[in-house]
Amino acid sequence: QVRLLESGGGLVQAGGSLRLSCAASGRTFSSYAMGWFRQAPGKEREFVGATRSSGITYYTYYADSVKGRFTISRDNAKNTVHLQMNNLKPEDTAVYYCAADSRGVAGPIEWSYWGQGTQVTVSS
């Protein structure tokens, strides 16, 4: 079992910044694929970004809607992944979730584990 716990959400003005964190359990965190998703009221959950290992390198990629504003980083020594959000817009308002695939294999990611979510609200 992998347990995930998000933190760092809150209320921020448009143009401001916020840093989310996701702490994960497990002894092989460095091999996990880690992702961020969000869900706004009345909308389906959408992909934000993710990072995964190929054994030697990590690949990090983002949805077009956040590219250039959001940055994912990971601290393997602390089993933690971060989502740095800059130049926030009201349309970024959502519950943000982190997710994990702990299999450490190649191929399509299976997001088997999810955190409880943290609320991000951006005011105009």
Side-chain angles (χ1 to χ4, degrees):
Q1 285 290 315
V2 175
R3 298 175 179 84
L4 305 174
L5 181 61
E6 302 100 330
S7 62
L11 175 64
V12 65
Q13 294 184 83
S17 298
L18 211 56
R19 191 192 194 206
L20 306 184
S21 298
C22 176
S25 65
R27 299 179 66 84
T28 57
F29 175 78
S30 62
S31 69
Y32 295 1
M34 298 293 299
W36 288 96
F37 297 78
R38 66 187 183 185
Q39 187 167 21
K43 294 187 176 181
E44 297 295 321
R45 181 181 61 196
E46 67 173 329
F47 173 78
V48 173
T51 179
R52 73 181 302 180
S53 173
S54 64
I56 298 174
T57 62
Y58 287 94
Y59 297 95
T60 306
Y61 49 101
Y62 306 90
D64 287 343
S65 59
V66 307
K67 198 172 299 179
R69 299 188 298 122
F70 291 10
T71 303
I72 294 172
S73 61
R74 65 193 298 158
D75 185 344
N76 290 335
K78 293 182 171 63
N79 275 30
T80 301
V81 64
H82 303 283
L83 180 66
Q84 178 67 46
M85 305 184 293
N86 297 327
N87 192 24
L88 283 161
K89 305 175 180 180
E91 51 262 45
D92 294 318
T93 295
V95 176
Y96 283 70
Y97 300 90
C98 69
D101 181 343
S102 64
R103 297 174 301 149
V105 299
I109 295 173
E110 296 180 1
W111 299 113
S112 298
Y113 302 97
W114 295 83
Q116 84 289 342
T118 185
Q119 176 71 48
V120 172
T121 302
V122 184
S123 62
S124 59

